[in-house]
Amino acid sequence: MSRTPHHPTREQIELPMVLDCLSDPTRLAIVYQLAQQERVSSELRCGDFNALSGKSNLAYHFAKLRECGLMQTRIVGTSRLMRLRREDLEARFPGLLDAVIKSAAKDADRLQLMSECDVVEVD
Amino acid sequence: MSRTPHHPTREQIELPMVLDCLSDPTRLAIVYQLAQQERVSSELRCGDFNALSGKSNLAYHFAKLRECGLMQTRIVGTSRLMRLRREDLEARFPGLLDAVIKSAAKDADRLQLMSECDVVEVD
DNA sequence: TCGATAGTTCAATAAACATTGAACATAGGA
DNA sequence: TCCTATGTTCAATGTTTATTGAACTATCGA
């Protein structure tokens, strides 16, 4: 297990990879939830997404989201804290992330996004 | 060959399908070129994209773009005229298409988009 | 030091995808 | 009516993808 997962630099973020990442319902739900959380803490743990799929499948999607530059992972103890790379994405593709998140919000009932109460805040 | 290709209604357009369609470099180039063309005529023929790939492969991508609701095809003689479903997309996912096209324009050198002069206008 | 917790990695599987060429369908012009 | 131009459809191929469970690694607390 590498100490720090690999992340692309801002300039290495590619549009087709980002769109492909966002096109998967599970990953879109992850990104959406991270965006919702931004108002509160901007970071979530892997376990906060357990309602979406099994652990190993989530790890697969987390890796994809990291590799395409959508999110960043920080290791803290036995947990990994993840956040959206908002600034980098906004610099590379202005308005794109917001447009996707707003579109997802509009279709929240169609997409199997987690409900707000599925995310339990740790005190 | 069916007389009129199938197109989804506005409400049937789904976000993951649209993002998946746009994540393919060939399809992104098609959409980009259609967007560029909008200033002039808003419609292009299949043959105008021959520089991107072979005919049968293009037909495959055209079908995907139609099925996800990104573009509309109109049969005229032996040609098919295609245009972006801008209004429908704007109604379903406000700002999304523009954000993608602007992002593609920013990365025009990385993405193998066709140069303007590859598209030959018919008098 | 032992056990529990949090995630990742690996191998296997089935499904979806992009690409190719050949065959086909349709319409227009000589 | 035949030939050509324009695209689509079909079958075959190899690649990528998502998903699963089992094995593994690392950290924390008792």
Side-chain angles (χ1 to χ4, degrees):
Chain A
M1 209 179 290
S2 64
R3 231 27 229 87
T4 310
H6 173 258
H7 296 89
T9 67
R10 174 183 289 191
E11 275 311 305
Q12 286 170 343
I13 299 178
E14 301 281 356
L15 182 59
M17 288 185 68
V18 168
L19 295 174
D20 185 50
C21 244
L22 292 169
S23 74
D24 179 275
T26 302
R27 290 191 292 262
L28 184 57
I30 292 170
V31 167
Y32 181 78
Q33 199 61 61
L34 280 171
Q36 296 303 110
Q37 197 67 13
E38 274 179 327
R39 310 174 199 148
V40 186
S41 72
S42 91
E43 282 180 316
L44 281 175
R45 295 178 313 139
C46 298
D48 291 325
F49 301 94
N50 284 342
L52 287 174
S53 183
K55 274 170 47 161
S56 69
N57 185 234
L58 284 178
Y60 165 75
H61 287 301
F62 292 149
K64 287 238 145 190
L65 287 163
R66 275 194 304 266
E67 285 161 18
C68 84
L70 268 167
M71 66 179 219
Q72 203 165 41
T73 303
R74 185 165 70 92
I75 300 181
V76 175
T78 117
S79 294
R80 306 193 170 202
L81 297 183
M82 305 180 306
R83 65 172 187 80
L84 282 180
R85 292 179 63 178
R86 245 194 198 286
E87 291 196 0
D88 290 325
L89 290 162
E90 189 61 21
R92 290 282 287 121
F93 313 122
L96 181 62
L97 186 59
D98 275 337
V100 171
I101 288 167
K102 277 183 190 154
S103 298
K106 269 194 67 180
D107 277 25
D109 47 333
R110 300 197 195 187
L111 311 166
Q112 55 272 52
L113 307 176
M114 296 165 68
S115 63
E116 309 256 346
C117 49
D118 285 341
V119 178
V120 182
E121 270 302 283
V122 182
D123 308 274
Chain B
M1 209 180 289
S2 63
R3 231 29 228 84
T4 309
H6 173 257
H7 298 88
T9 67
R10 173 183 290 191
E11 276 310 306
Q12 286 170 344
I13 300 178
E14 301 281 358
L15 182 59
M17 289 186 67
V18 168
L19 295 174
D20 186 49
C21 244
L22 293 169
S23 75
D24 179 274
T26 302
R27 290 192 291 263
L28 183 58
I30 293 170
V31 167
Y32 181 77
Q33 199 60 62
L34 280 171
Q36 296 303 109
Q37 198 67 12
E38 274 180 327
R39 310 174 199 147
V40 185
S41 72
S42 90
E43 282 179 317
L44 281 174
R45 295 178 313 138
C46 298
D48 291 326
F49 301 95
N50 284 342
L52 288 174
S53 183
K55 275 171 42 162
S56 67
N57 185 235
L58 284 178
Y60 165 75
H61 287 301
F62 293 149
K64 288 236 145 193
L65 286 164
R66 276 194 303 267
E67 285 161 17
C68 84
L70 268 166
M71 67 180 215
Q72 202 165 42
T73 303
R74 185 165 70 92
I75 300 181
V76 174
T78 117
S79 296
R80 304 193 172 202
L81 297 182
M82 304 181 306
R83 65 172 186 80
L84 283 180
R85 293 180 63 178
R86 244 195 199 288
E87 291 196 358
D88 290 325
L89 290 162
E90 189 61 22
R92 290 282 286 122
F93 312 124
L96 181 62
L97 186 60
D98 276 336
V100 170
I101 289 167
K102 277 182 190 157
S103 298
K106 268 194 67 179
D107 277 26
D109 47 333
R110 301 195 194 188
L111 311 167
Q112 56 271 51
L113 307 176
M114 296 165 67
S115 64
E116 309 254 348
C117 48
D118 284 341
V119 178
V120 181
E121 270 300 284
V122 181
D123 308 275

